């Protein structure tokens, strides 16, 4: 196949990937978008086979390895529970990162296969591009592994900080740059291995100080990195499909990181420098005072809801942990039968990844036109009778609007307290991730329901 | 003077960043999770490089120091391609509209 013709086909596959993302602008077109993505991938792989033109025994092995990876991927995709989506995405990011590292290594050892020169005499531009691809890929890999371990609970979600952390990270980043420069002038393979090794190390060090609830930012950021790594490799291979995809994924992840940071009213650097939860907890413990709290049971909650005409549900990460989304939907079905208007309010950073709550509600068969974003629904709280907060905490804290001293001051929050009454499902009075007390607990119109989210929801349904 | 082909690729790259910027802003927030899984799947187009690396050898010797990395990368990228697209499809199939008949 001529190089020009395959380049055009790669371009087509790049365009199909753009359409795949474009389809996600609404749920109706999204399935078609995903189909475009699959077609784009098939084109890219087929063109590669044809342009390499090597259908010897190696080709059979490629198909075998493709089938092995494919069946593992398909198996995971069908088995994974929707609540584990953040872990899955973090895990997948690590694979892209590692694949980028492997391709870069292979190109470095055998540059002839990629038309990049000979070993020890690789074209300068290619060498820079593959170093960037390898370094960013390695950072994506080790960072995603840590994110995965934290999300999975294998590693504590608490930020891990130590003295001299930031200077150390800065030192490593500078040495990556210096190593790349040296690598370009010496072409030494030892330097290439060291570059990859310290890139793995920095990926690990960047993510460990970041706490569990900042995971939405971390996952989006790693999403972005995996794109830049792919783009770096795309430049090395002079492949337009990879360059376009890398740029798309890179900017997509960057935008998601920005949206998540805005949802917490924190700057990107503030999140990356980490240690948020750890430092704030100490301040909240000092002014701990006992304030009266009204608590109730499922019966009280059912009574309040039965007499309401509109109910707004505020789900959070706790709902995912308790796997309460199906029980919640059943409760809502019962409410709807009694002609009560129900809608859902989703905060941008609810859950552990962007859009986490939406997927869980969709899984529980909640129609997506009943689910609203913060800006769409925030004015409705004043007119609603009952707000049902299930598994959310900091995102409802009115302190963010009233107390400039508070660490979450300025963060956009759901105006839950404006409802006639608030039902707050929670296991205990303990503060949320930000380590601050939620003023909402002590409001006159708040009824605390201390129980497991799933069990409480089921009990309410029985009492309705 | 002839323009270096690198400049053309750089142009594609920069323009694609802008395309990505506008396309992603138009993605509805409720689909942000499928957005992440699908970007994950498409970034595995890196498998193109893995295939070239794996097939770089002659017929006699399929596995060499450099092609083994290619084969490993194929497995990793394939997990991502199949896993990413299928899990996205599974998620998107769940997004339904309110039934009209009440």
């Amino acid at each position: 196949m001529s190089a020009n013709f395959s380049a055009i086909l790669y371009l087509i596959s790049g365009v199909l990937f753009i359409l795949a993302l474009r389809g996600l602008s609404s749920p109706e077109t999204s399935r078609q978008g995903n189909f475009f993505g699959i077609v784009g991938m098939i084109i890219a792989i087929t063109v590669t086979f044809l342009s390499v033109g090597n259908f010897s025994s190696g080709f059979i092995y490629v198909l075998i390895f493709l089938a092995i990876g494919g069946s593992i991927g398909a198996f995971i995709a069908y088995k994974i529970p929707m609540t584990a989506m953040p872990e899955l995405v973090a895990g997948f990011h690590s694979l892209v990162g590692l694949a980028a590292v492997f391709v870069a290594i292979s190109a470095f050892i055998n540059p002839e296969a990629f038309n990049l020169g000979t070993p020890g005499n690789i074209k300068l531009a290619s060498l820079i591009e593959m170093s960037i691809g390898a370094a960013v890929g390695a950072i994506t890999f080790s960072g995603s592994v840590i994110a995965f371990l934290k999300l999975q609970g294998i590693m504590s979600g608490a930020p891990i900080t130590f003295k001299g952390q930031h200077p150390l990270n800065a030192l490593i980043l500078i040495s990556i740059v210096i190593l790349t420069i040296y690598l370009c002038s010496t072409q030494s393979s030892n330097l290439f291995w060291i570059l990859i090794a310290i890139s793995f190390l920095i990926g690990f060090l960047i993510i460990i100080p970041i706490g569990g609830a900042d995971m939405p930012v971390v996952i989006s950021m790693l999403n972005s990195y995996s794109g830049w790594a792919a783009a770096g490799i795309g430049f090395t291979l002079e492949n337009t499909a990879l360059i376009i995809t890398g740029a798309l994924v890179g900017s997509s992840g960057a935008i998601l990181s920005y949206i998540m940071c805005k949802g917490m009213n924190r700057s990107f650097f503030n999140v990356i420098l980490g240690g948020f939860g750890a430092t704030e907890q100490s301040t909240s413990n000092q002014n701990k005072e006992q304030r009266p709290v009204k608590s109730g049971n499922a019966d009280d909650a059912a009574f309040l809801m039965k007499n309401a005409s509109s109910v707004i549900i505020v789900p959070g990460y706790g709902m995912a942990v308790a796997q309460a989304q199906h029980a919640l939907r059943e409760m809502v079905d019962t409410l709807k039968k009694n002609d009560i208007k129900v809608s859902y309010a989703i905060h941008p950073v609810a859950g552990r990844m962007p859009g986490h709550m939406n997927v869980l509600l969709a899984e529980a068969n909640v129609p997506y036109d009943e689910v609203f974003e913060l800006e769409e629904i925030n004015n409705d709280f004043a007119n609603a009778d009952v707000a049902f907060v299930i598994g959310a905490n900091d995102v409802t804290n009115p302190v963010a609007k009233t107390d400039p001293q508070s660490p979450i001051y300025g963060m956009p929050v759901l105006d839950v307290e404006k409802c006639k009454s608030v039902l707050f499902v929670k296991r205990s009075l303990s503060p949320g991730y930000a380590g601050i007390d939620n003023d909402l607990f002590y409001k006159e119109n708040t009824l605390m329901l201390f129980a497991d989210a799933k069990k409480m929801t089921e009990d309410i349904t029985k009492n309705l | 003077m002839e323009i270096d082909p690198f400049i053309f690729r750089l142009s594609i790259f920069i323009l694609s960043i802008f395309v990505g910027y506008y396309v992603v802003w138009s993605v509805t927030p409720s689909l942000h999770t499928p957005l992440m899984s699908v970007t994950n799947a498409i970034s595995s187009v890196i498998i193109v490089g893995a295939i070239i690396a794996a097939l770089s050898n002659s017929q006699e010797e399929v596995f060499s120091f450099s092609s083994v990395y290619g084969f490993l990368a194929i497995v990793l990228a394939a997990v991502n391609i199949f896993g990413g697209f299928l899990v996205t499809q599974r998620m998107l199939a769940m997004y339904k509209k309110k039934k009209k008949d009440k």
Side-chain angles (χ1 to χ4, degrees), chain A residues 168-189:
Chain A
L168 178 69
N169 289 353
L171 193 73
I172 294 177
L173 284 174
I174 294 166
S175 55
I176 287 179
V177 176
I178 295 173
L179 268 173
T180 311
I181 296 167
Y182 266 104
L183 175 66
C184 291
S185 57
T186 59
Q187 303 254 351
S188 148
S189 58

Side-chain angles (χ1 to χ4, degrees), chain A residues 152-175:
Chain A
Q152 190 80 327
I154 297 170
M155 197 173 151
S156 155
I160 298 165
T161 49
F162 54 88
K163 235 182 153 197
Q165 195 162 23
H166 300 321
L168 178 69
N169 289 353
L171 193 73
I172 294 177
L173 284 174
I174 294 166
S175 55

Side-chain angles (χ1 to χ4, degrees), chain A residues 10 17-18 21-22 24-27 30-31 34 37-38 41 44-45 48-49 52 54 56-59 61-62 65-66 69-70 73-74 77-78 80 82 85 88-89 92-93 95-96 98-100 102-103 105-106 109-110 113-114 129 193 219-220 223 228 230-231 233 235 237-240 242-245 247-249 251-252 255-256 258-259 353-356 358-359 362-363 365 367-370 373, chain B residues 5-6 8-100 102:
Chain A
Y10 280 132
F17 290 151
I18 295 174
L21 299 194
R22 176 71 201 147
L24 290 171
S25 57
S26 97
S30 61
R31 285 173 275 263
N34 198 39
I38 295 171
M41 188 60 75
I45 292 176
T48 311
F49 280 138
V52 174
N54 176 358
S56 61
S57 52
F59 178 68
Y61 279 107
V62 169
F65 280 83
L66 197 63
Y78 279 112
I80 192 93
M82 284 299 142
M85 235 34 231
L88 179 78
V89 169
F92 278 175
H93 285 157
L95 300 184
V96 180
L98 197 57
F102 284 164
V103 173
I105 291 176
S106 186
I109 301 171
N110 186 6
F114 300 87
E129 290 152 4
W193 295 113
I219 297 191
S220 319
N223 185 239
W228 304 132
I233 301 296
F235 275 103
L237 306 184
E238 309 182 345
N239 183 303
T240 27
L242 252 175
I243 295 176
I244 294 175
T245 316
L248 286 180
V249 177
S251 55
S252 164
I255 290 171
L256 289 176
Y258 169 77
I259 295 174
M353 76 183 292
H356 192 187
N358 302 80
V359 171
E363 187 200 11
N365 280 321
Y368 61 80
D369 38 11
E370 286 176 10
E373 303 301 315
Chain B
F6 171 79
F8 286 117
R9 288 190 284 275
L10 188 66
S11 318
I12 295 173
F13 180 64
I14 302 289
L15 291 175
S16 301
I17 292 177
F18 279 91
V19 171
Y21 179 86
Y22 289 106
V23 169
V24 171
W25 271 115
S26 76
V27 170
T28 160
S30 66
L31 291 176
H32 276 163
T33 299
L35 171 68
M36 299 201 88
S37 61
V38 87
T39 49
N40 209 335
I42 63 172
S43 59
S44 308
V45 73
I46 201 154
I47 197 168
V48 165
I51 292 172
I52 299 173
L55 291 178
S56 57
N57 282 30
S58 57
Q59 195 149 0
E60 294 78 45
E61 185 203 26
V62 175
F63 296 102
S64 71
F65 189 37
S66 76
S67 76
V68 163
Y69 282 107
F71 281 110
L72 288 175
I74 287 178
V75 176
L76 298 178
V79 172
N80 246 334
I81 292 172
F82 282 76
F85 280 125
L86 288 173
V87 88
T88 310
Q89 201 163 37
R90 210 181 121 200
M91 270 190 274
L92 293 176
M94 298 183 313
Y95 281 81
K96 291 186 197 93
K97 246 191 170 156
K98 198 167 1 187
K99 283 193 204 96
K100 284 277 182 295
K102 271 205 169 170

